[in-house]
């Protein structure tokens, strides 16, 4: 027999995913996950970069969060009132060229493989198209991050480029992968996530 659900527990289903600006009360959670050099997410998010450099950069970033207003090109991923990650975007040069590169990060492995990242990425695609002049969206990762590649492909992204064996992760070589999506290819959130 399955025990009844705790009515006070947060809803951690994909339908409960929302993106919102960072709030002061989010800072302890963000700082904890961003500055932990042993966090599991670091095995997947650009693990080919030197760990000491990533740690130093993330510590500076986490420290800057407390003294800077929320950035419209970054949002936290909120699932039923729980901050589980962040999304970001950056306009590629030249400015006003309509090319935006997206990023997503779900911190806790307990939240992986449940569709939360796919839903958050779909919301971020829609928000980016609504809020910018984006003509093309890209997503960059490495060939070993199968979950991220599958999530992007499910949303309609296509593989735009692959640099073979360009990344070394834990002594093995992997491809650098870039996926893209044109504005006209995005039908909206209906049926996508």
């Amino acid at each position: 027999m399955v025990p009844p659900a705790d009515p006070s527990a947060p809803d951690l289903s994909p339908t409960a995913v929302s993106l919102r600006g960072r709030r002061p009360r989010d800072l302890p959670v963000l700082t904890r996950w961003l500055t932990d050099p042993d966090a599991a997410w670091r095995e997947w998010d650009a693990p080919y970069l030197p760990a000491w450099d990533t740690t130093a950069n993330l510590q500076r970033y986490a420290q800057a969060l407390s003294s800077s207003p929320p950035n419209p090109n970054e949002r936290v991923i909120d699932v039923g009132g729980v901050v589980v990650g962040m999304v970001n975007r950056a306009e590629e040069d030249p400015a006003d060229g309509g090319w935006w590169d997206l990023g997503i990060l779900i911190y806790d492995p307990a939240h992986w493989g449940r569709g939360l990242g796919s839903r958050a990425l779909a919301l971020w695609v829609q928000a980016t198209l609504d809020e910018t002049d984006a003509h093309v969206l890209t997503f960059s990762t490495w060939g070993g991050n199968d979950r991220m590649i599958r999530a992007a492909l499910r949303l309609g992204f296509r593989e735009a480029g692959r640099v073979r064996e360009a990344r070394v992760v834990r002594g093995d070589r992997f491809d650098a992968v870039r996926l893209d999506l044109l504005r006209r290819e995005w039908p909206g959130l209906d049926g996508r996530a």
Side-chain angles (χ1 to χ4, degrees):
M1 179 174 189
V2 176
D6 177 356
S8 65
D11 180 3
L12 297 178
S13 67
T15 57
V17 173
S18 64
L19 304 179
R20 61 171 175 77
R22 173 179 36 85
R23 298 176 184 152
R25 71 172 186 248
D26 300 327
L27 290 175
V29 172
L30 296 173
T31 299
R32 177 173 60 95
W33 283 108
L34 290 170
T35 60
D36 179 358
D38 298 318
W41 67 264
R42 290 183 64 175
E43 297 281 324
W44 302 99
D45 187 73
Y48 42 83
L49 296 175
W52 61 267
D53 191 43
T54 299
T55 298
N57 287 335
L58 287 172
Q59 287 172 339
R60 281 191 295 276
Y61 173 71
Q63 187 174 17
L65 288 177
S66 64
S67 61
S68 62
N71 180 336
N73 292 321
E74 298 175 341
R75 309 273 164 81
V76 297
I77 302 170
D78 184 303
V79 183
V82 176
V83 174
V84 301
M86 291 182 76
V87 292
N88 61 28
R89 64 183 174 219
E91 187 175 20
E92 295 285 343
D93 289 331
D96 299 322
W99 176 5
W100 288 80
D101 194 54
L102 308 182
I104 181 171
L105 180 59
I106 305 265
Y107 304 127
D108 190 342
H111 300 303
W112 298 351
R114 300 173 52 206
L116 304 178
S118 294
R119 179 65 180 162
L121 184 56
L123 292 170
W124 196 224
V125 166
Q126 188 65 58
T128 300
L129 293 174
D130 290 347
E131 298 166 11
T132 72
D133 66 343
H135 174 75
V136 62
L137 304 177
T138 56
F139 190 85
S140 301
T141 190
W142 60 289
N145 196 346
D146 294 326
R147 285 189 312 263
M148 203 62 258
I149 292 170
R150 282 193 312 267
L153 292 172
R154 273 194 306 272
L155 294 176
F157 281 77
R158 297 179 187 178
E159 189 172 308
R162 184 176 284 261
V163 180
R164 296 176 298 151
E165 300 181 9
R167 302 294 189 198
V168 177
V169 178
R170 294 175 287 280
D172 293 322
R173 290 209 164 265
F174 292 89
D175 298 348
V177 180
R178 181 163 270 185
L179 300 113
D180 68 8
L181 176 75
L182 297 175
R183 178 182 284 272
R184 68 178 171 267
E185 295 169 341
W186 179 251
L189 290 172
D190 296 335
R192 284 295 183 165

